[in-house]
Amino acid sequence: MSGLNEHPNVRTAVRYHQAVSRFAVGEELAVFFHPDAVHTQLPNALFPDGTVRPLPDLIAAAQQGRQLLADQHFEVINAVAADAQVALEVTWSGTLAVSLGDLTAGQVLRAHIAAFLEFRDGKIIAQRNYDCYERLSPAAPGENGGVRNASALEMS
């Protein structure tokens, strides 16, 4: 976190991304969120319609992600905080544990992310992600614009 804004919400946001990197689930993940939290994933290559998830669905997606990815890493490059809001610039990489459509097990996916987090009482109450995935190999027709079972890949 060297060089990043030392605002307490930035520290929480960085710890949250570290927890997601190590596949935190259940209470280990929920501790970062207000009970009324909502995660919004704006449309992108894996989720052309985007997603909106309340906390229970977000926790379930984290559990699924453990089955789809062999590993993942988030690097928070930059952070800006104002009052109860934090804006993050993040890079993500994840290695597929299983094949998804034409994406093969062992393939590394990468995304450049802008994440906007709103806090209430020191917890994340809202998160909006704008994920820009690097070019994906063509996927077979199916759900989520061709990448089957991709919903669990959305966790930043």
Side-chain angles (χ1 to χ4, degrees):
M1 197 163 101
S2 176
L4 292 178
N5 184 323
E6 289 296 319
H7 190 283
N9 291 341
V10 169
R11 288 193 299 271
T12 298
V14 169
R15 285 193 324 271
Y16 158 58
H17 279 80
Q18 291 168 341
V20 173
S21 285
R22 62 179 184 272
F23 295 105
V25 294
E27 185 55 34
E28 184 183 2
L29 183 59
V31 71
F32 293 99
F33 291 94
H34 186 279
D36 297 330
V38 174
H39 180 274
T40 302
Q41 178 77 29
L42 282 295
N44 60 58
L46 292 180
F47 306 96
D49 296 324
T51 63
V52 177
R53 291 188 171 130
L55 184 55
D57 294 347
L58 181 64
I59 299 298
Q63 183 65 41
Q64 290 174 341
R66 293 177 95 176
Q67 298 165 359
L68 297 176
L69 294 171
D71 64 58
Q72 67 178 342
H73 176 75
F74 290 89
E75 180 181 356
V76 177
I77 297 170
N78 197 2
V80 178
D83 300 322
Q85 297 188 23
V86 172
L88 300 173
E89 179 183 5
V90 179
T91 58
W92 171 82
S93 62
T95 304
L96 290 174
V98 297
S99 295
L100 294 174
D102 284 347
L103 303 176
T104 59
Q107 186 170 349
V108 177
L109 306 179
R110 290 182 174 77
H112 306 272
I113 301 166
F116 297 87
L117 290 79
E118 296 176 30
F119 287 78
R120 182 184 301 160
D121 302 324
K123 307 275 186 175
I124 301 166
I125 184 75
Q127 179 177 347
R128 291 178 313 284
N129 276 50
Y130 299 80
D131 297 351
C132 298
Y133 286 89
E134 292 183 3
R135 185 178 303 273
L136 302 171
S137 63
E143 296 178 41
N144 299 313
V147 180
R148 293 184 205 104
N149 300 318
S151 63
L153 294 177
E154 169 209 337
M155 272 308 309
S156 68

